[in-house]
Amino acid sequence: MTSETIAGPTSAASPSEGATTASAPPPPARTWAVDDLPALAFDPLLAELLDKEPVARIRLPFTAENEAWLVTRYEDVRTVTSDPRFSRTALLDRQVTGMTGHMVASKAALNYADPPYHTQLRKAVTKTFTGRSTGRLRPLTQASTDRFLDAMEAAGRPADLMKHLHGPLPMAVVCDLLGVPEEDRAELASWPDLILSSGPGPESSRAAKAQIRGYVTRLLDRRRAEPRDDLAGELAEALAEGRITGDEAVSLAMAILISGAHAVRNNSANMVYVLLTRPELADRLRAEPELLPRAVDELLRWIPHRNGVGLPRIATEDVEIGGVTIRAGEAVYASYLAANRDPEVFEDPHALDFDREGVGHVSFGHGPHHCMGAMLTRMESEVMLSTLLRRYPELRLAGRPEDVVWQSKGLIRGPRELLVTW
């Protein structure tokens, strides 16, 4: 859910002239255009690199002259994302080939923090992301789901699930979490899409971020005057006690608001699309509802939920990864999508298997930047899927699978419309 794991990369980190050994030149870089892919097709370049060149040089669409490394195997991805010799903070002074031409996340955000500073920031919101907090939000999530589906039925068939469920519900949940009043929620709805896109450009992204920043600042001011038991109240308390600064409080709230609404919306819709195009899987979940938590985790592993890669890291010293020496100062991207398809870890990794057990996926990241909202995201997905399956035994696409319209140039993948009938 959080931008730590799924909000896209931007500019950051310096040109690199590393070598695989002391004497050998680096391998030629692969140009990765990150074009829109059909439906939930897995990126063919990621599949190729995972199989043939698991530590590769890449050029992304922006700042292509400043190449970076990309690691794709499960163990290498876990190493790069947890080893303190790979730094996010070092990105702030660099230019790296990236997915967009603008910075998606604030420089004060968790995204660019390393421990121990990163640990300090996360502690400011730890209470909000406990199992107890998620349990408190579950009945609210269920009530919102029922309300949105009641409205969908009243509007008639066919209906767009993106409009009636996957759009409004994640925004409602993150607003419940943050403490955003009902009357303010419509104002926030479109801003995350503008920020987490490679298409509209830096001006639209900056304007949307400025609007969200202004709103969150006003919300935290209100919470300081009128404390409440929500995330805004927790941040206002940490701010008043001097544990975080004003910029840090606003940045934390923005990251949760933006990524929580945007990422869950798209990935929950992707899950429903899979079940609607694989009706045998939906039928099984109706027959075995106790299987749903495991099914949600397998869908999280299997669905390629983003385009390209997230933020890179900078090596602070020479490190050997997968038999390749990455030099100090070089940028390294880690693909969680590819790691989730590593055949050395997952048997028949390209198969969607609700009986899969064993090693856990890395869809929520790994190491210090593991997504704080993992439990919340799972809960929302379980509520949405279980309600749709139970309430609509005849739920189906209103047209052919190939007629579903998908978003273009987004950092997160998902349908633009998901028309269904029942």
Side-chain angles (χ1 to χ4, degrees):
M1 160 186 157
T2 177
S3 60
E4 287 192 273
T5 56
I6 48 188
T10 60
S11 56
S14 64
S16 45
E17 300 177 2
T20 55
T21 68
S23 57
R30 307 290 290 270
T31 297
W32 192 5
V34 198
D35 295 322
D36 292 331
L37 295 165
L40 295 177
F42 194 72
D43 192 304
L45 180 61
L46 281 180
E48 180 185 346
L49 294 178
L50 177 62
D51 181 44
K52 297 178 180 176
E53 195 179 353
V55 183
R57 302 279 290 177
I58 59 166
R59 297 188 191 99
L60 287 161
F62 292 87
T63 321
E65 66 277 10
N66 294 342
E67 300 169 3
W69 292 98
L70 171 67
V71 297
T72 48
R73 287 187 179 160
Y74 186 88
E75 288 304 326
D76 294 341
V77 165
R78 284 166 58 92
T79 297
V80 166
T81 54
S82 61
D83 190 318
R85 294 175 294 177
F86 294 100
S87 167
R88 281 278 185 82
T89 302
L91 283 172
L92 293 172
D93 301 320
R94 307 296 180 86
Q95 287 287 316
V96 174
T97 186
M99 291 284 297
T100 72
H102 58 280
M103 294 190 76
V104 171
S106 162
K107 289 185 177 182
L110 283 167
N111 300 70
Y112 295 102
D114 295 330
Y117 174 58
H118 178 271
T119 309
Q120 172 190 331
L121 288 180
R122 282 180 70 118
K123 281 182 178 178
V125 293
T126 298
K127 184 173 69 175
T128 300
F129 292 99
T130 60
R132 179 180 177 183
S133 178
T134 299
R136 178 182 65 83
L137 287 171
R138 191 173 194 120
L140 294 175
T141 303
Q142 184 66 64
S144 294
T145 300
D146 294 337
R147 183 173 71 254
F148 292 138
L149 292 178
D150 287 345
M152 181 180 82
E153 289 180 22
R157 292 172 281 190
D160 180 7
L161 281 177
M162 300 306 296
K163 173 183 176 182
H164 290 285
L165 180 64
H166 299 294
L169 182 64
M171 178 59 81
V173 172
V174 82
C175 285
D176 286 338
L177 181 80
L178 189 59
V180 175
E182 193 71 39
E183 62 270 20
D184 293 349
R185 297 183 182 190
E187 179 185 356
L188 303 177
S190 65
W191 295 339
D193 287 352
L194 292 173
I195 294 170
L196 293 177
S197 173
S198 61
E203 293 80 11
S204 297
S205 177
R206 279 195 292 267
K209 281 189 285 189
Q211 288 175 304
I212 291 184
R213 173 172 287 276
Y215 177 82
V216 170
T217 299
R218 293 191 297 275
L219 179 63
L220 294 181
D221 286 343
R222 269 185 276 170
R223 281 297 175 276
R224 283 200 293 272
E226 302 172 7
R228 280 179 50 182
D229 186 20
D230 52 34
L231 177 59
E234 189 175 3
L235 288 169
E237 180 182 334
L239 180 58
E241 293 175 355
R243 290 183 280 126
I244 54 174
T245 67
D247 280 348
E248 289 165 349
V250 171
S251 176
L252 284 164
M254 285 178 63
I256 292 162
L257 177 64
I258 293 165
S259 61
H262 186 88
V264 178
R265 181 194 72 180
N266 287 290
N267 218 28
S268 64
N270 290 336
M271 291 181 184
V272 172
Y273 173 83
V274 169
L275 295 181
L276 294 178
T277 54
R278 298 276 300 275
E280 74 282 2
L281 297 178
D283 289 344
R284 185 177 180 196
L285 290 178
R286 288 189 179 97
E288 302 176 58
E290 69 281 0
L291 191 62
L292 187 60
R294 187 191 298 176
V296 165
D297 252 357
E298 174 66 353
L299 288 163
L300 286 165
R301 180 197 71 84
W302 184 85
I303 290 170
H305 62 274
R306 66 158 301 123
N307 287 312
V309 281
L311 285 170
R313 291 162 173 81
I314 303 298
T316 58
E317 59 183 79
D318 292 359
V319 186
E320 184 174 306
I321 299 291
V324 173
T325 299
I326 295 173
R327 299 299 185 190
E330 293 186 322
V332 188
Y333 283 98
S335 173
Y336 294 122
L337 301 187
N340 281 338
R341 301 290 185 103
D342 188 341
E344 294 184 6
V345 177
F346 301 100
E347 183 179 354
D348 197 7
H350 297 291
L352 185 58
D353 180 6
F354 289 170
D355 293 313
R356 190 182 299 278
E357 294 180 328
V359 177
H361 62 73
V362 287
S363 296
F364 292 113
H366 180 66
H369 288 269
H370 181 272
C371 178
M372 292 183 295
M375 283 193 292
L376 186 64
T377 297
R378 287 185 173 98
M379 180 274 286
E380 291 179 69
S381 300
E382 289 175 16
V383 169
M384 277 188 265
L385 294 185
S386 63
T387 306
L388 287 171
L389 291 168
R390 181 181 65 251
R391 187 163 172 163
Y392 305 109
E394 300 297 325
L395 186 69
R396 60 195 182 276
L397 289 175
R400 302 175 302 168
E402 55 267 34
D403 294 332
V404 172
V405 179
W406 294 80
Q407 295 177 72
S408 178
K409 302 301 180 187
L411 300 177
I412 308 298
R413 293 172 67 174
R416 197 167 75 204
E417 295 178 335
L418 193 59
L419 298 175
V420 298
T421 189
W422 54 91

